[in-house]
Structure formats: structure tokens, C-alpha cells
């Protein structure tokens, strides 16, 4: 079986939840989108997995979109070739149809709840729901403090001389790897490759490996490489190639990774706390380009900041883990009172419709 292509379309940022769900499919090209509605434990993720399995068995490529709060749970599955998708359309990534009945359809999985049985658990469900939401505020406060320190460190080392060195390296890579074509300029879509979740900071490096035979590892402790990645993305699009720009979850306005599928070429950011564990095609040591005198002068300050940042991120992810624990309580309260046979029949019907599009 091919390696799984997996991304995130949301991120837990210092400003709260950040969504890229409007980039799930190009609106003018989308053919079929199923919008799943329903509360905790009603089988949204289970339905998506079942449908994805059916289409993979038929040879169709699937893009898995995982939940940024709980990376073990699915938020969407996308079938790029047929321009179709199934998405959890509930908050915080609520979706509404743009062409209802033409492209999008609602699927109400809440109809499979046993409402009479759940009504008897009202007090427990209300308590778990309230507790689940309260932990996110603490997580975002921790991420805000961490991001401020990270920005201080970045500003300290990102000098004009460093930017010039990275621009020169990017130009060299483009001349070697990105050949011009006669095609019109390529398009950009955004996906998060990493997440700050209940499981800590993670990155789906395996997606870059699945899509690309050449992976450049950018060793970048201080997050200085965003400009270099933006230049590479612009060069690739100018040469006629579509690109996937992957923003940083804590700074979603900055590129952290870049994938150029048609060239089988990726650039992934690797840090001491989240290293790329694959075997890179080439390694670019951005840290080594930083002014050595500057690093010596601020060595103690940078080391201390990194420790504080690590502690703040750990505290934030612990808050997300507590939110996940509360959500697990909700799942356990709801699950025994869901007609999963009905959910699986609905999955079969959705799979059947999508298989007819192949």
C-alpha cells in the first residue's frame, strides 16, 4: 500500500483556532462535498474512514485531513482526482454549502442518537461539554507567551546578511531543481503539515516522503527560513508548477514546509525539538549561516529562552490533553447510544455515490 498522504486544515495558534478549510477544494472545480453534522461520538470519523477505505480499494488516491486537537481523529477526507470530499462541518471548522444540492449535501448523523437514553445523561454531558471547552483558553495563553519569545529569538538572529545568504542559496536550488516550462503559472494551496495538539508538537513528515523522492532538510532552530521557502514557492509557480505551502501552526502567516508534487521535490523544516528523521536528499544548515559572533554574544539568552518556550509549549499541550480527556468522556457517554449500523449504512451509500464518479 502507498504511504498515506495526511495533512491538517486547522491549527491551534496563539490567536485561537486557525482554519484553512476554505482551501479544501477549489470552489469552481469541486464536484461533490458531503457535510457531516452531529455531536460527539456520532460516528463522523468512522464514516469517513469507511468511505476512504472503499475508495482506496478501488484504486483512488485519498488525502486524509486529521484533527489538530486530536491527531488520531479525522476531520475530512479528500479525493483530489474526482474533486470530492467528506468533511466534519461542525465547529470550530463549521462549513456551509455554496451550491447546495449541486455540490454539497448535509448528512445529519445526529439522527442516529437514541435521544431518550441520552436525555437521562443530561447532567453528565453538560458538565463534560463545559470542561472540554475551558481548557482551550489556557492552551492559547501558553502558546501566545511561547510565540512571543520565539519571535524575540528570531528577530535577534535574522540579520540582512543572513537573509542575503538564504536568498543566494534559494537561487542556487531553483537553478538546479526547478526548470522553467511553457505552462502558465502554477497554483498554490495551503495545508498544515504539523500541529500543536494533545500529543504535543508533531509533523507529518511521512506525507513529504510519500509525495516526493527528493526531500531537502532545512535545519532551522529559530524559524528564519520562511522567506527562503516563500521564494522557492514563487519560483516554482513562476516556472509552471503547482505548490503546497505548509504554514507554521504557531505562525500561520509564515511558510514552514514546501511541497512541489510534480517535481517530486519537498523542503521540510527540521528543528532540535522536532527533527526530520528521514534520509534527506540534501541538508541545508540555516543555523550555520547565522552570524557566529552574534550567536556567541547571545548564547545564554537564546538557551534560556528555548527552555522557557519548551515549558510553555508543554503546558499548552497538557491543557489540550486535558480537553481531549474531557472529550473522551463525552464520547463514552454518547457511544453506547448511537446506532452505528445506521452510520455504516450511510457510509456505504456515500461510498457508492463516490464510486460511481470514478
Amino acid at each position: 500500500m502507498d504511504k498515506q498522504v495526511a495533512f491538517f486544515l486547522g491549527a491551534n495558534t496563539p490567536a485561537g483556532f486557525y482554519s484553512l478549510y476554505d482551501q479544501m477544494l477549489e470552489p469552481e472545480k469541486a464536484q461533490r462535498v458531503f457535510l457531516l453534522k452531529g455531536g460527539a461520538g456520532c460516528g463522523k470519523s468512522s464514516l469517513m474512514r469507511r468511505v476512504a477505505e472503499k475508495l482506496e480499494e478501488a484504486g483512488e488516491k485519498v488525502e486524509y485531513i486529521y484533527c489538530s486537537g486530536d491527531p488520531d481523529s479525522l476531520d475530512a477526507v479528500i479525493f483530489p482526482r474526482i474533486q470530492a470530499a467528506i468533511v466534519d462541518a461542525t465547529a470550530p471548522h463549521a462549513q456551509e454549502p455554496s451550491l447546495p444540492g449541486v455540490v454539497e449535501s448535509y448528512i445529519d448523523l445526529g439522527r442516529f442518537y437514541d435521544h431518550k437514553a441520552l436525555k437521562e445523561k443530561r447532567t453528565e454531558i453538560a458538565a463534560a461539554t463545559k470542561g472540554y471547552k475551558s481548557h482551550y483558553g489556557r492552551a492559547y495563553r501558553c502558546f501566545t507567551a511561547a510565540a512571543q519569545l520565539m519571535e524575540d529569538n528570531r528577530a535577534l538572529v535574522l540579520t540582512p546578511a543572513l537573509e542575503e545568504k538564504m536568498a543566494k542559496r534559494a537561487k542556487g536550488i531553483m537553478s538546479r531543481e526547478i526548470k522553467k516550462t511553457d505552462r502558465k503559472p502554477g497554483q498554490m494551496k495551503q495545508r498544515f503539515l504539523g500541529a500543536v495538539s494533545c500529543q504535543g508538537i508533531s509533523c507529518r513528515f511521512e506525507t513529504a516522503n510519500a509525495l516526493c523522492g527528493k526531500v531537502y532538510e532545512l535545519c532551522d532552530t529559530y524559524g528564519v527560513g520562511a522567506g527562503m521557502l516563500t521564494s522557492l514557492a514563487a519560483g516554482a509557480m513562476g516556472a509552471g508548477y503547482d505548490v503546497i505551502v505548509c504554514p507554521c501552526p504557531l505562525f500561520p502567516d509564515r511558510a514552514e514546509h514546501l511541497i512541489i508534487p510534480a517535481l517530486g521535490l519537498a523542503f521540510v523544516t527540521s528543528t532540535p525539538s522536532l527533527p526530520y528523521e528521514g534520509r534527506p536528499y540534501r541538508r541545508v544548515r540555516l543555523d550555520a549561516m547565522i552570524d557566529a559572533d552574534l550567536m556567541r554574544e547571545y548564547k545564554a539568552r537564546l538557551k534560556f529562552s528555548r527552555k522557557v518556550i519548551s515549558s510553555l509549549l508543554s503546558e499548552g499541550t497538557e491543557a489540550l490533553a486535558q480537553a481531549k480527556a474531557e472529550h473522551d468522556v463525552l464520547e463514552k457517554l454518547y457511544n453506547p447510544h448511537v446506532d452505528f449500523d445506521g452510520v455504516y449504512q450511510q457510509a456505504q451509500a456515500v461510498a457508492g455515490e463516490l464510486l460511481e464518479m470514478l
Side-chain angles (χ1 to χ4, degrees):
M1 181 182 291
D2 293 339
K3 295 177 183 176
Q4 189 179 96
V5 173
F7 293 104
F8 302 92
L9 280 175
N12 294 303
T13 77
F17 184 77
Y18 188 95
S19 175
L20 293 175
Y21 278 83
D22 60 340
Q23 298 191 38
M24 183 174 62
L25 292 172
E26 293 182 55
E28 63 276 9
K29 292 183 179 179
Q31 297 299 312
R32 199 71 178 92
V33 178
F34 295 93
L35 303 174
L36 304 185
K37 296 291 186 177
C42 69
K44 297 187 290 291
S45 190
S46 296
L47 182 148
M48 286 187 274
R49 288 185 193 280
R50 289 221 167 189
V51 176
E53 287 172 4
K54 291 292 185 183
L55 268 75
E56 282 187 329
E57 288 172 3
E60 197 66 16
K61 299 293 185 183
V62 180
E63 185 178 316
Y64 291 84
I65 303 298
Y66 285 91
C67 173
S68 56
D70 174 14
D72 290 331
S73 180
L74 278 174
D75 271 351
V77 287
I78 302 172
F79 310 100
R81 192 184 67 81
I82 59 174
Q83 290 292 304
I86 310 169
V87 58
D88 177 348
T90 61
H93 36 74
Q95 303 281 304
E96 297 299 335
S98 58
L99 294 172
V102 178
V103 174
E104 301 95 348
S105 295
Y106 286 118
I107 296 179
D108 176 20
L109 296 184
R111 72 183 190 275
F112 297 114
Y113 283 139
D114 181 341
H115 292 275
K116 183 177 180 180
L118 287 171
K119 195 169 184 179
E120 297 177 4
K121 297 185 176 182
R122 177 170 180 162
T123 301
E124 298 161 88
I125 289 172
T129 301
K130 182 179 179 181
Y132 165 65
K133 294 179 178 179
S134 67
H135 294 296
Y136 274 89
R138 183 163 67 92
Y140 294 147
R141 288 191 293 273
C142 291
F143 297 153
T144 297
Q148 289 172 343
L149 285 174
M150 293 169 74
E151 182 60 18
D152 284 347
N153 288 353
R154 180 177 182 268
L156 199 64
V157 300
L158 186 57
T159 62
L162 174 57
E163 290 180 313
E164 186 177 340
K165 288 179 183 178
M166 291 190 295
K168 184 178 179 180
R169 179 60 67 88
K171 187 176 180 180
I173 292 171
M174 281 190 281
S175 66
R176 183 171 59 247
E177 303 286 1
I178 304 173
K179 305 302 180 184
K180 290 189 178 295
T181 70
D182 294 329
R183 297 193 295 266
K184 63 181 181 180
Q187 300 295 310
M188 178 186 74
K189 67 179 179 182
Q190 294 188 88
R191 299 281 192 266
F192 287 107
L193 197 61
V196 185
S197 72
C198 63
Q199 298 178 8
I201 300 176
S202 62
C203 185
R204 298 271 180 176
F205 288 123
E206 67 273 16
T207 293
N209 296 334
L211 293 174
C212 303
K214 291 182 179 180
V215 178
Y216 277 72
E217 179 187 7
L218 308 185
C219 301
D220 184 8
T221 300
Y222 300 103
V224 299
M228 182 177 179
L229 290 168
T230 300
S231 294
L232 289 166
M237 287 188 289
Y241 300 100
D242 293 342
V243 302
I244 304 172
V245 174
C246 304
C248 172
L250 289 173
F251 299 95
D253 59 334
R254 294 179 191 161
E256 187 172 49
H257 314 282
L258 172 65
I259 299 172
I260 312 172
L263 292 176
L265 182 64
F267 300 86
V268 299
T269 296
S270 180
T271 68
S273 59
L274 190 58
Y276 173 66
E277 295 181 347
R279 187 171 184 177
Y281 170 67
R282 293 200 175 175
R283 184 174 285 118
V284 181
R285 301 183 187 277
L286 300 186
D287 290 350
M289 298 183 191
I290 298 172
D291 183 271
D293 291 335
L294 200 64
M295 291 299 293
R296 280 192 292 271
E297 181 180 357
Y298 293 109
K299 181 179 178 180
R301 173 177 166 180
L302 291 168
K303 183 179 180 180
F304 176 75
S305 291
R306 288 200 304 272
K307 287 184 178 179
V308 176
I309 290 165
S310 178
S311 295
L312 286 166
L313 292 176
S314 294
E315 185 70 17
T317 56
E318 174 58 28
L320 293 180
Q322 291 174 350
K324 169 66 165 55
E326 293 280 9
H327 192 266
D328 287 346
V329 171
L330 274 176
E331 295 268 354
K332 289 178 181 178
L333 288 168
Y334 276 102
N335 275 165
H337 307 295
V338 175
D339 174 15
F340 279 101
D341 287 340
V343 173
Y344 297 146
Q345 288 174 13
Q346 180 68 72
Q348 188 68 31
V350 172
E353 183 173 338
L354 293 174
L355 287 169
E356 289 179 359
M357 296 173 63
L358 301 187

